[in-house]
Amino acid sequence: MAPLLSPSAAEYVQAAKAGIESVEYIDDLIREYLLFRGFKQTLRALEQDLERDQDKGFDAGKIVDDLVGMARELRDNELLEYWRYLSFRFFSHLSPKYQRTTRMFEKRLIRLFLVSAAEKGQRNKIRAFMDKHGRTLGQQGGDWVPWLGLEYVDDPRSRPEFEAYFSDEWFASLKASLTDFVTTVFPAMAVPRILLFDRERREREALRRKVEMYERRLDGETKITALDAADGSSGLVEDHIGAIDAITSPRLQPAMVTTSAAGATEAATTSKGPSSGDGDGDGSSSGTRSRSAAAELVRATEQPSSLLKIRQEDVFLEHNAGVGLAKFSATGDLIASYDDESILKVWAPDPASAAPQLKNELDYTVSAMAWDKKHMHLLYLADESGYIHTLNANSDMMSRELVFEKRHPWVQCLLAGSTGSTLAVVGSSKPENASDVVLQIWDAGASRMAASKRLPAPSEASHGVCAALNHNDKMVALGLSSGYVRLVDTRSLDVVTTLKTRQRDLCAVDFSLDEDSLAVVTEVGGLTQWSLRKGGQMLAQSTLDIGAAAVAHGSNSGGGSYGIVPQDSRLDVDRVVFTPDKENVVVAPRSQCLVFNIDSAALTDTTRRHKDLVTCIDYAADKSLSASDDGTIRVACYRKV
C-alpha cells in the first residue's frame, strides 16, 4: 500500500525537531529582544524561570541524566516527584498503548534506586522506601514480590532475580532506551510557531517562487490569446470549453437573473423607438437583435462560468468492513478512515509517498473526526462517551484527550479552524435529537475550553444539525434540519442572527467565498442561497436533480421530476460537501458522487459507482473521496475547464 505520511507532515516533523533542538538559540533571541526593548523585569523573570526549567530545554539527555542521577544519589522523593511531573506534562497525553511503556520505565527507575542503595549498603534507605511504597508495589504482584525483601538479602548480586540489575549492561540499556523514549515524545507536541521559524521561511520562499512561476505562465498565455484574437480565433480557453459536451442547467430562479432578463427585455422593447411605426426597416431588425441579445443573456447567465471535471479516479481497498468515517487532511495528502470493526487507518492515496501506514484498533467508537488545519499531523477523534482524542499521525501517539459536555455527549459536528488549533464542537443529548444542543469552542493546542453555551431550542423539533466555520473562525453557522440557520460568534457564543429558511430537512450549510451569503442544501437536493447583508434575503433557489442524476449522468437536462427523490437517495450531513472555492457542491445520494455547480445547479460530472451505498464523502484541495459500506474508498482528482 502507498505510504501514509504526507510531505507536508514530514516537513513539519523535521521542522519541529529542528525547533526543539534550537530552543537555546530561541531563548537567546528572546533575551536580545527583551534587552532591546528595555524589558529588564521581564528578562529577570525569564532568567529565573529558565533556572527552574524542569523541561531542560527539551533536551532528553539532560532529563534522563537528572532522573538517573536522582536514583543513583538515593534522592527517591525528588525522583518520584520529577517523574510525576513528566507524566503529567508529557506521558499522560500519549496513546493508551504507551502507558505500559511509561509504567515499565517508572519500575526500572525505582529498581535502579533500590540497586544503588544496596550497592552503597544503605539498607535504611531501602527500608524507608518500602515502608512508604511497599504496600503499593506488593499489590502489583508479579516480579515485585522478591524486591520487598531486598534489604534482608546479604548478597543480592548472587541471586538470580537481582543479578541482571547490578550489571553495567542493564544500566546502559536503561539509559539509552529511556532517552529514546523521551526523545520520541517531544515531536508529538504541537510546538509554537516561533520554533517553526525556519519552516515558515522556506514555505514563504516556495510560495514566492510559485507566484512568480504563475505570473510568467499567465503573461505567456495572455500574449498567446491576444495573438489568436488578432487572427480571428476564439482563444485558447474558448476553444477548450467549446470541445466539452454542453450541460443543460436545471431550473434556476435567482433574483438577479430574473432582474437582468427583465431589464434586457425592456431594453429590447424600447429600442424600437420611432422606427417601429414604419412597420419595417432598421427599427424592426434592431428590436429583433435586442430580443435575441436578451435571450442570449439569460442563457449565458444560467450556464456555469467554469466546469469541474474528473481527470483521474482511483479505488482503494483499505478496510475489510464498511467504512463509516473518512476525512482528508487539510492538504489532501492524507486520509483518515474508520470502519465498523473500530479500525482506524491513516494513509496516503498518492503511491509516490514514502511514509509508513498507520493502523490502530481502537477500544472506543468514533462518532466524528477532523484534521487540524494548522498542525496538519494532528487528527481529532470524538467518541460516543463525550471524549475527544488527538492522534499524532507522525508518531502514532494519542497525545491529548479533551472532555466534552457530559450531558450532551453525542458529537453532531466536529470542525477544525483554519487560523489556529480551534475546535468547534456541537453536541446533543441523543443522536436523533438536535433541538437540545451545546456549542463548545476549544483551544486544542492548550487542551483548554475557550467557551461553552447551551443554545436555545427552536420552536420546531430538529433531528439533525450541520455546521460551518468562516475563514477566520470568528463565526460559525449552525443549520438545523427544521430549517433554521443560526450564526454564532465563536468568541462570545452569542447568536448574531437566525435565518428562517423554510427549507425542511436541511442537511448542509456553508459560507460563500466572500462570506456575503450562505448556501443551504436539503436532503432532497434543494439548493438556496441567502444574503447575510440584506436581512436574510433569499438570493437564489434551485434544485439539484439527485433523483434522476443518481440513475444516469445528465438526466437533469430536460424536464426531470424535480423534488421527487426516492427515500434511499436522500442526502445527509455526511454526504454533502462544498468545494474550497465555494463554486461547486459534491453530493452522494446513493452509490456515487455527483458534482453540481452552485450558481447554475448544473450537473458537471459523476464518479464511478461503489458496489454498496456511500456512507460519507469529503473534499480537499482538488480531490474528493467517497467511502462505502463495501469497504472501498474512491478518490477522484478534478480540473476546471
Side-chain angles (χ1 to χ4, degrees):
M1 166 56 214
L4 307 192
L5 189 59
S6 68
S8 57
E11 290 174 4
Y12 175 86
V13 175
Q14 295 301 322
K17 289 182 178 179
I20 289 173
E21 292 171 359
S22 60
V23 164
E24 292 184 4
Y25 172 70
I26 301 296
D27 291 342
D28 289 338
L29 290 180
I30 295 176
R31 288 191 186 95
E32 184 179 339
Y33 173 76
L34 294 177
L35 284 173
F36 174 74
R37 294 296 305 275
F39 298 154
K40 296 182 180 179
Q41 293 183 353
T42 307
L43 179 60
R44 282 195 293 269
L46 173 65
E47 296 292 354
Q48 293 173 359
D49 286 340
L50 290 175
E51 290 177 2
R52 299 190 298 266
D53 181 22
Q54 291 184 289
D55 297 339
K56 311 300 178 184
F58 301 105
D59 188 329
K62 291 181 180 179
I63 291 176
V64 173
D65 286 342
D66 273 10
L67 289 169
V68 170
M70 293 172 186
R72 285 290 201 184
E73 296 168 11
L74 308 185
R75 293 181 287 153
D76 55 317
N77 291 330
E78 294 180 42
L79 172 65
L80 295 178
E81 182 179 353
Y82 191 30
W83 185 260
R84 280 194 293 269
Y85 167 79
L86 294 175
S87 297
F88 178 79
R89 178 83 163 86
F90 303 112
F91 308 148
S92 62
H93 301 303
L94 300 177
S95 172
K97 68 180 182 181
Y98 289 98
Q99 298 306 315
R100 181 179 178 183
T101 304
T102 304
R103 291 193 298 269
M104 178 194 70
F105 282 117
E106 181 183 15
K107 179 174 71 173
R108 290 183 178 180
L109 286 171
I110 292 175
R111 291 184 177 181
L112 177 62
F113 161 78
L114 296 173
V115 166
S116 300
E119 286 181 328
K120 296 179 180 181
Q122 298 286 335
R123 296 180 181 272
N124 59 322
K125 283 283 188 180
I126 300 176
R127 182 181 305 110
F129 184 86
M130 289 301 178
D131 288 344
K132 189 174 182 180
H133 304 286
R135 179 182 296 273
T136 302
L137 298 178
Q139 290 175 349
Q140 298 180 15
D143 57 353
W144 268 116
V145 174
W147 290 85
L148 300 179
L150 178 64
E151 63 173 304
Y152 305 108
V153 179
D154 292 333
D155 185 14
R157 291 176 180 270
S158 62
R159 299 290 295 270
E161 56 266 45
F162 305 123
E163 180 181 3
Y165 297 96
F166 287 87
S167 65
D168 294 336
E169 291 79 5
W170 180 83
F171 175 74
S173 174
L174 168 62
K175 192 171 182 180
S177 58
L178 183 55
T179 302
D180 290 342
F181 177 68
V182 176
T183 303
T184 304
V185 170
F186 291 146
M189 300 186 301
V191 299
R193 288 182 58 191
I194 194 171
L195 294 182
L196 300 176
F197 66 97
D198 191 51
R199 172 179 179 248
E200 294 190 351
R201 179 189 62 79
R202 291 196 303 270
E203 287 180 348
R204 287 195 298 268
E205 181 65 21
L207 286 174
R208 184 188 64 80
R209 290 195 299 268
K210 185 178 293 186
V211 168
E212 290 178 352
M213 178 190 69
Y214 285 139
E215 286 177 344
R216 290 193 299 269
R217 183 182 300 175
L218 180 61
D219 183 56
E221 290 184 357
T222 303
K223 291 178 180 178
I224 294 173
T225 305
L227 290 174
D228 289 342
D231 294 336
S233 66
S234 59
L236 296 177
V237 178
E238 289 79 359
D239 289 342
H240 196 181
I241 293 180
I244 300 172
D245 294 336
I247 296 179
T248 305
S249 107
R251 304 178 182 89
L252 178 68
Q253 301 151 0
M256 57 184 180
V257 173
T258 305
T259 304
S260 301
T265 305
E266 181 181 354
T269 304
T270 57
S271 65
K272 296 181 181 180
S275 302
S276 60
D278 297 335
D280 55 6
D282 295 340
S284 177
S285 62
S286 174
T288 303
R289 284 196 300 271
S290 298
R291 285 191 295 272
S292 177
E296 289 296 330
L297 173 62
V298 174
R299 284 197 294 271
T301 309
E302 288 179 351
Q303 292 300 325
S305 58
S306 63
L307 308 178
L308 198 60
K309 289 288 187 178
I310 297 174
R311 60 178 174 85
Q312 179 183 341
E313 185 174 354
D314 299 296
V315 60
F316 298 88
L317 183 57
E318 290 292 328
H319 295 267
N320 296 321
V323 180
L325 293 171
K327 290 287 184 181
F328 275 122
S329 61
T331 59
D333 297 324
L334 289 177
I335 294 176
S337 50
Y338 175 79
D339 66 23
D340 296 340
E341 295 179 347
S342 297
I343 300 297
L344 173 70
K345 299 185 73 173
V346 179
W347 51 283
D350 183 5
S353 177
Q357 179 176 350
L358 303 185
K359 179 179 178 181
N360 289 286
E361 184 175 359
L362 305 180
D363 56 1
Y364 50 84
T365 301
V366 178
S367 59
M369 65 168 63
W371 285 92
D372 194 305
K373 295 181 181 178
K374 183 178 180 182
H375 305 291
M376 291 179 286
H377 62 296
L378 299 181
L379 174 67
Y380 303 110
L381 306 169
D383 66 24
E384 293 182 345
S385 300
Y387 291 92
I388 300 176
H389 312 264
T390 306
L391 173 67
N392 187 321
N394 294 335
S395 58
D396 195 18
M397 294 182 179
M398 292 288 182
S399 55
R400 294 184 189 87
E401 187 175 90
L402 311 178
V403 182
F404 192 62
E405 223 277 0
K406 287 296 184 181
R407 287 171 295 181
H408 300 78
W410 188 265
V411 176
Q412 296 275 358
C413 299
L414 181 63
L415 304 175
S418 301
T419 59
S421 294
T422 300
L423 273 182
V425 190
V426 182
S428 63
S429 56
K430 297 178 181 179
E432 68 281 357
N433 179 19
S435 298
D436 179 20
V437 298
V438 166
L439 173 62
Q440 288 190 351
I441 306 298
W442 284 84
D443 181 354
S447 300
R448 179 182 62 87
M449 184 174 63
S452 177
K453 187 174 183 179
R454 183 177 179 180
L455 300 179
S459 57
E460 301 178 43
S462 297
H463 62 268
V465 60
C466 53
L469 283 167
N470 72 336
H471 77 284
N472 60 6
D473 307 329
K474 297 297 190 295
M475 196 76 65
V476 60
L478 298 179
L480 304 178
S481 62
S482 57
Y484 290 85
V485 178
R486 288 175 174 150
L487 292 183
V488 182
D489 189 316
T490 57
R491 294 157 293 186
S492 62
L493 295 190
D494 292 333
V495 178
V496 178
T497 186
T498 299
L499 300 179
K500 299 179 181 179
T501 68
R502 298 183 298 277
Q503 304 295 306
R504 302 297 302 176
D505 297 327
L506 188 154
C507 67
V509 62
D510 204 355
F511 292 90
S512 63
L513 193 61
D514 59 8
E515 299 189 355
D516 283 341
S517 62
L518 284 175
V520 172
V521 177
T522 67
E523 294 181 7
V524 296
L527 173 62
T528 52
Q529 299 180 54
W530 301 82
S531 173
L532 297 180
R533 300 185 182 275
K534 297 181 180 180
Q537 176 183 345
M538 182 190 293
L539 298 177
Q541 182 177 16
S542 55
T543 301
L544 309 178
D545 193 8
I546 60 175
V551 178
H553 179 184
S555 60
N556 62 332
S557 59
S561 54
Y562 298 96
I564 302 176
V565 178
Q567 186 64 34
D568 61 354
S569 295
R570 294 173 72 94
L571 304 174
D572 57 41
V573 66
D574 293 321
R575 293 184 292 155
V576 181
V577 63
F578 294 86
T579 57
D581 60 10
K582 315 301 182 183
E583 294 181 2
N584 301 274
V585 60
V586 182
V587 301
R590 298 189 70 184
S591 59
Q592 66 182 147
C593 288
L594 314 175
V595 185
F596 290 92
N597 180 270
I598 291 179
D599 287 336
S600 66
L603 177 66
T604 64
D605 215 338
T606 66
T607 65
R608 298 188 186 96
R609 296 178 183 274
H610 291 271
K611 295 181 179 179
D612 211 330
L613 295 178
V614 171
T615 56
C616 62
I617 63 175
D618 196 21
Y619 199 104
D622 63 343
K623 55 178 75 78
S624 70
L625 69 79
S626 57
S628 172
D629 279 333
D630 61 14
T632 62
I633 295 177
R634 287 189 175 274
V635 176
C637 299
Y638 296 83
R639 61 187 175 92
K640 280 189 175 182
V641 295

